[in-house]
Structures are given as C-alpha cells and as structure tokens.
Amino acid sequence: NLEIKQNMAKNFYVKDLKDTVVTNEKQTLKVFDDSVNRRKTACTDLNAHSSRSHSIFSVTIESLDYEMDSTAPVIMNSKLNLVDLAGSERQGKTNTTGETLKEGCNINLSLSALGSVINCLVEGKPHIPYRGSPLTMLLKDSLGGNARTVMFANIGPADKNVSESISTLRFADRAKQIENK
C-alpha cells in the first residue's frame, strides 16, 4: 500500500519513504540488513519462506570532483537499484488462501505489468506503460534511458518447478534484449 508520487522532474518516488545517509560500507550493510529483516514472508507449498512482496533497495552515490575548481566541486550522482522480485505464483501449486493468496495475486499483477514494460522497450514502442503498477513506476529510471540493467534469475532444480523455471528464464531473456540509448 505504497503511495507513489511523481516529482517535477517526472521521476516516481514513494511518499514518506525513509532516506538514510551512510558514509561507509558497514553503515550501508546495516541499513540493507534492517530492510531485509522487515520483509514479510509466508509459508507456501513451494517455499517455506516465500517473499510476499517485491523489494527495492536504492543507493544514491554522490561524489565530489574538485579537479576543475578546488573551491566549487562538481557534484556527480549515480543511482543503484537492487531489486528482489518476488516469484510468480500459481495458486494451485502454492495452495495459499486469504491474505497470502491476495499477496500472490498482487505479485503476479505487478510481474505482468513489468513484463509488458519490458516487451514495449524491446519492441521499441513509442508508449511505455510505466504507470501499469507501482513496481514499474519505481523502476522506470532503471529500465529506460541510459540505465544499465543486470538480472539474476533464480530457478529451482525440482521437476515440479520446470514450467516456472522456463517462464523465469524467458522473462530474463526478454529483459536482456532491452537496448538503451
């Protein structure tokens, strides 16, 4: 239930999201670990610790370049989004009910919206449906423009998960085909 807003620069953000300034690796890992520990999981027939949402850990790196003028540095910014997508869920295989079932449906809807965005980017369509879900709104600057995207696809070795593994690999292959400017 995140409230997504858009600023004057046309970038999407989560309203009232906590920003933490860190200055070293130890502080960064502490913030990351704290966020991982807050992530909700639930037991399903496929996974004892199934993620019930996607997770985005954004790191903004700011550096100062004093080379041109020692009194007025040039400020350079980069953004790194570490995204952990919850896996798609087939209700028949997960055997979930109630709130866990609803979470699985929301996961599937956002993955479908992300798939649509990826397909439009790959096909070079003039309109990209970033507003299709909160996930795609937040990942807009990670998918288009001059962004570089790396995807790790986790698949399971069990025979009963073959269709999910193939679907995941197809999704990753499609994402790999995105060509940015």
Side-chain angles (χ1 to χ4, degrees):
N1 297 340
L2 303 175
E3 189 174 348
I4 309 295
K5 298 286 188 179
Q6 190 173 23
N7 63 20
M8 298 297 280
K10 303 281 186 197
N11 296 318
F12 293 103
Y13 66 95
V14 178
K15 183 180 178 190
D16 300 325
L17 188 69
K18 179 181 173 185
D19 277 343
T20 304
V21 176
V22 295
T23 58
N24 59 49
E25 179 183 352
K26 185 176 180 180
Q27 291 173 348
T28 305
L29 291 175
K30 167 86 170 90
V31 172
F32 182 79
D33 289 342
D34 289 348
S35 66
V36 168
N37 291 334
R38 283 193 305 272
R39 190 164 187 198
K40 184 178 178 187
T41 62
C43 183
T44 71
D45 283 359
L46 290 179
N47 188 344
H49 302 283
S50 177
S51 300
R52 306 318 307 151
S53 64
H54 307 300
S55 175
I56 302 174
F57 186 76
S58 295
V59 179
T60 302
I61 302 164
E62 183 178 279
S63 66
L64 304 175
D65 183 356
Y66 291 94
E67 199 170 299
M68 299 297 271
D69 183 347
S70 61
T71 61
V74 175
I75 300 171
M76 295 177 286
N77 290 301
S78 289
K79 184 176 179 184
L80 172 67
N81 283 327
L82 302 173
V83 182
D84 184 4
L85 298 174
S88 64
E89 298 191 356
R90 292 195 172 99
Q91 197 278 331
K93 286 189 171 186
T94 59
N95 200 25
T96 57
T97 59
E99 189 65 25
T100 307
L101 174 61
K102 185 177 175 184
E103 291 163 347
C105 290
N106 288 333
I107 289 166
N108 290 345
L109 285 171
S110 63
L111 288 173
S112 179
L114 179 58
S116 293
V117 165
I118 289 170
N119 283 337
C120 288
L121 287 167
V122 169
E123 294 169 8
K125 295 202 172 171
H127 173 71
I128 311 298
Y130 290 112
R131 291 182 177 270
S133 81
L135 175 68
T136 53
M137 285 188 256
L138 293 173
L139 294 181
K140 179 181 179 184
D141 61 349
S142 294
L143 294 169
N146 66 353
R148 302 292 182 256
T149 302
V150 176
M151 180 179 288
F152 296 91
N154 296 316
I155 58 174
D159 288 344
K160 68 180 181 178
N161 296 332
V162 168
S163 64
E164 286 83 1
S165 294
I166 290 171
S167 176
T168 297
L169 291 171
R170 284 185 179 141
F171 187 86
D173 182 61
R174 195 68 169 156
K176 183 181 171 184
Q177 295 175 38
I178 297 173
E179 291 186 21
N180 291 327
K181 300 173 183 172

